[in-house]
CSV table of all heavy atoms in Angstrom, one decimal:
chain,number,residue,atom,x,y,z
A,19,MET,N,-22.5,-3.1,50.2
A,19,MET,CA,-21.4,-4.0,50.5
A,19,MET,C,-22.0,-5.3,51.2
A,19,MET,O,-21.6,-6.4,50.9
A,19,MET,CB,-20.5,-3.3,51.7
A,19,MET,CG,-19.6,-2.3,51.1
A,19,MET,SD,-18.6,-2.9,49.7
A,19,MET,CE,-17.4,-3.9,50.6
A,21,ILE,N,-25.1,-6.5,50.5
A,21,ILE,CA,-25.6,-7.2,49.3
A,21,ILE,C,-24.6,-8.0,48.6
A,21,ILE,O,-24.8,-9.1,48.1
A,21,ILE,CB,-26.5,-6.3,48.6
A,21,ILE,CG1,-27.8,-5.8,49.3
A,21,ILE,CG2,-27.0,-7.0,47.1
A,21,ILE,CD1,-28.6,-4.7,48.7
A,25,ALA,N,-24.3,-11.9,47.9
A,25,ALA,CA,-24.2,-12.5,46.6
A,25,ALA,C,-23.1,-13.4,46.3
A,25,ALA,O,-23.2,-14.4,45.8
A,25,ALA,CB,-24.4,-11.4,45.5
A,27,LEU,N,-21.5,-15.1,48.6
A,27,LEU,CA,-21.6,-16.3,49.4
A,27,LEU,C,-22.6,-17.2,48.8
A,27,LEU,O,-22.3,-18.4,48.8
A,27,LEU,CB,-22.1,-16.0,50.8
A,27,LEU,CG,-21.0,-15.2,51.7
A,27,LEU,CD1,-21.5,-14.8,53.0
A,27,LEU,CD2,-19.8,-16.2,52.0
A,40,ASN,N,-18.5,-29.1,21.9
A,40,ASN,CA,-19.5,-29.6,20.8
A,40,ASN,C,-18.5,-30.0,19.8
A,40,ASN,O,-17.4,-29.9,19.6
A,40,ASN,CB,-20.4,-28.3,20.4
A,40,ASN,CG,-19.4,-27.2,20.0
A,40,ASN,OD1,-18.2,-27.1,20.1
A,40,ASN,ND2,-20.1,-26.2,19.5
A,51,ILE,N,-24.4,-32.5,39.8
A,51,ILE,CA,-25.7,-32.1,40.3
A,51,ILE,C,-25.6,-32.2,41.8
A,51,ILE,O,-24.8,-33.1,42.3
A,51,ILE,CB,-26.8,-32.8,39.7
A,51,ILE,CG1,-26.8,-34.2,39.8
A,51,ILE,CG2,-27.0,-32.3,38.2
A,51,ILE,CD1,-28.1,-35.0,39.2
A,52,PRO,N,-26.5,-31.5,42.6
A,52,PRO,CA,-26.5,-31.7,44.0
A,52,PRO,C,-26.6,-33.1,44.5
A,52,PRO,O,-27.3,-33.9,43.9
A,52,PRO,CB,-27.7,-30.8,44.4
A,52,PRO,CG,-28.0,-29.8,43.3
A,52,PRO,CD,-27.5,-30.7,42.0
A,58,GLU,N,-22.9,-38.8,45.2
A,58,GLU,CA,-22.4,-38.0,44.1
A,58,GLU,C,-23.3,-38.3,42.8
A,58,GLU,O,-23.4,-39.5,42.4
A,58,GLU,CB,-21.0,-38.0,43.9
A,58,GLU,CG,-20.1,-37.6,45.0
A,58,GLU,CD,-20.1,-36.2,45.3
A,58,GLU,OE1,-20.3,-35.4,44.3
A,58,GLU,OE2,-20.1,-35.8,46.4
A,59,MET,N,-23.6,-37.3,42.1
A,59,MET,CA,-24.3,-37.5,40.8
A,59,MET,C,-23.8,-36.6,39.7
A,59,MET,O,-23.3,-35.5,39.9
A,59,MET,CB,-25.9,-37.2,40.9
A,59,MET,CG,-26.6,-38.1,41.9
A,59,MET,SD,-26.8,-39.7,41.2
A,59,MET,CE,-27.8,-39.5,39.9
A,61,GLN,N,-24.7,-35.4,35.6
A,61,GLN,CA,-25.6,-35.6,34.6
A,61,GLN,C,-25.0,-35.1,33.2
A,61,GLN,O,-24.3,-34.2,33.1
A,61,GLN,CB,-26.7,-34.4,34.9
A,61,GLN,CG,-28.0,-34.5,34.1
A,61,GLN,CD,-29.0,-33.5,34.6
A,61,GLN,OE1,-28.8,-32.3,34.9
A,61,GLN,NE2,-30.1,-34.2,35.0
A,64,ILE,N,-26.9,-34.5,26.0
A,64,ILE,CA,-26.4,-34.6,24.6
A,64,ILE,C,-27.6,-34.1,23.7
A,64,ILE,O,-28.6,-34.5,23.8
A,64,ILE,CB,-26.1,-36.1,24.2
A,64,ILE,CG1,-25.0,-36.5,25.1
A,64,ILE,CG2,-25.6,-36.2,22.7
A,64,ILE,CD1,-24.8,-38.1,25.0
A,65,GLN,N,-27.1,-33.1,22.9
A,65,GLN,CA,-28.2,-32.5,22.0
A,65,GLN,C,-27.6,-32.5,20.5
A,65,GLN,O,-26.5,-32.1,20.2
A,65,GLN,CB,-28.4,-31.0,22.4
A,65,GLN,CG,-29.3,-30.2,21.5
A,65,GLN,CD,-29.4,-28.8,21.8
A,65,GLN,OE1,-28.5,-28.2,22.4
A,65,GLN,NE2,-30.6,-28.1,21.6
A,69,LYS,N,-27.7,-31.3,10.7
A,69,LYS,CA,-28.8,-30.9,9.7
A,69,LYS,C,-29.4,-32.1,9.1
A,69,LYS,O,-30.3,-31.8,8.2
A,69,LYS,CB,-28.0,-30.1,8.6
A,69,LYS,CG,-27.4,-28.7,9.2
A,69,LYS,CD,-26.8,-28.0,8.2
A,69,LYS,CE,-26.3,-26.7,8.5
A,69,LYS,NZ,-26.4,-26.2,9.8
A,77,LYS,N,-25.9,-44.2,19.2
A,77,LYS,CA,-25.1,-44.9,20.4
A,77,LYS,C,-24.1,-43.8,21.0
A,77,LYS,O,-23.6,-43.0,20.1
A,77,LYS,CB,-24.2,-46.1,20.0
A,77,LYS,CG,-25.1,-47.2,19.4
A,77,LYS,CD,-24.2,-48.3,18.7
A,77,LYS,CE,-25.0,-49.2,18.1
A,77,LYS,NZ,-24.1,-50.3,17.3
A,87,VAL,N,-20.5,-44.5,31.3
A,87,VAL,CA,-22.1,-44.5,30.9
A,87,VAL,C,-22.2,-44.6,29.4
A,87,VAL,O,-21.4,-44.0,28.7
A,87,VAL,CB,-22.7,-43.3,31.4
A,87,VAL,CG1,-22.4,-41.9,30.9
A,87,VAL,CG2,-24.3,-43.3,31.3
A,90,THR,N,-28.2,-46.3,23.9
A,90,THR,CA,-28.6,-46.6,22.5
A,90,THR,C,-30.0,-46.2,22.3
A,90,THR,O,-30.8,-46.1,23.3
A,90,THR,CB,-28.4,-48.0,22.1
A,90,THR,OG1,-29.3,-48.8,22.9
A,90,THR,CG2,-26.9,-48.5,22.2
A,114,LYS,N,-10.2,-35.7,35.7
A,114,LYS,CA,-9.5,-36.5,34.5
A,114,LYS,C,-10.3,-36.2,33.4
A,114,LYS,O,-11.6,-36.0,33.4
A,114,LYS,CB,-9.4,-38.0,34.8
A,114,LYS,CG,-8.7,-38.3,36.1
A,114,LYS,CD,-7.2,-38.3,35.8
A,114,LYS,CE,-6.5,-38.8,37.1
A,114,LYS,NZ,-5.1,-38.9,37.1
A,127,GLU,N,-18.4,-39.6,15.8
A,127,GLU,CA,-17.7,-38.3,16.3
A,127,GLU,C,-17.3,-38.6,17.7
A,127,GLU,O,-17.9,-39.2,18.5
A,127,GLU,CB,-18.6,-37.0,16.3
A,127,GLU,CG,-18.9,-36.6,14.8
A,127,GLU,CD,-19.6,-35.2,14.8
A,127,GLU,OE1,-19.9,-34.6,15.9
A,127,GLU,OE2,-19.9,-34.9,13.7
Side-chain angles (χ1 to χ4, degrees):
M19 290 300 288
I21 292 172
L27 289 174
N40 59 355
I51 59 176
E58 297 287 327
M59 294 292 291
Q61 189 172 60
I64 302 171
Q65 177 185 28
K69 299 187 183 338
K77 299 175 187 172
V87 62
T90 63
K114 302 284 183 174
E127 288 186 4

